Amino acid sequence: MDHGRRLPLGLIRHHPIAFTDLPPSPLPLPTDTTMAVIGIDLGTSGCKAVLVARDGRILASATAEYPLSTPKPLWSEQDPADWWKGTVAAVQAVVAKAPGEAIEGIGIGGQMHGATLLDAKDQVVRPAILWNDGRCQA
């Protein structure tokens, strides 16, 4: 297996097995079906989803925006429920744009250095504090 092969634009940059190295699907599929993966980018302004074929072609893409809350100067927060709603909406949109495509995998990446605080029952207790929040500036 050639671990150096990657999809165009580094879509699977950090995983040791490139998408083109995956074995054929064991499922019986119509001969006109394209094998594809969904990439999900959970960003600060919205969730972006893209459906990519094995040969690197973009089959469909969609974005679902969600609000950013700045209740006080320098604060930056979001409701984690909006992330889930945005993810569902973006994925549903790409699947609807490319009906009948066989999805072999899903990759997800997102904003980092944020805090989502949970209680003992794993329930969100307040809006998430985002990476660009300025409360701790001196």
Side-chain angles (χ1 to χ4, degrees):
M1 180 178 332
D2 177 6
H3 292 294
R5 291 189 326 205
R6 299 287 185 261
L7 280 177
L9 305 176
L11 293 173
I12 306 178
R13 186 172 304 156
H14 301 293
H15 195 281
I17 301 173
F19 183 49
T20 53
D21 295 328
L22 295 174
S25 173
L27 303 173
L29 298 169
T31 56
D32 63 340
T33 301
T34 305
M35 303 306 287
V37 293
I38 294 178
I40 300 169
D41 174 19
L42 187 66
T44 306
S45 62
C47 182
K48 285 74 87 184
V50 63
L51 186 64
V52 182
R54 274 186 176 239
D55 63 7
R57 286 178 298 121
I58 303 297
L59 302 174
S61 64
T63 300
E65 295 180 354
Y66 35 75
L68 174 69
S69 175
T70 54
K72 294 184 180 180
L74 301 178
W75 288 28
S76 184
E77 303 179 339
Q78 283 179 325
D79 182 351
D82 290 337
W83 300 337
W84 178 247
K85 292 173 194 170
T87 300
V88 170
V91 169
Q92 286 178 338
V94 296
V95 170
K97 289 179 182 180
E101 300 298 336
I103 299 168
E104 289 188 293
I106 299 173
I108 187 166
Q111 54 183 304
M112 50 193 244
H113 305 303
T116 303
L117 306 176
L118 307 175
D119 65 15
K121 295 182 181 179
D122 293 334
Q123 299 299 306
V124 176
V125 297
R126 65 166 328 281
I129 302 170
L130 301 185
W131 62 272
N132 56 350
D133 190 285
R135 279 178 253 195
C136 65
Q137 291 181 353

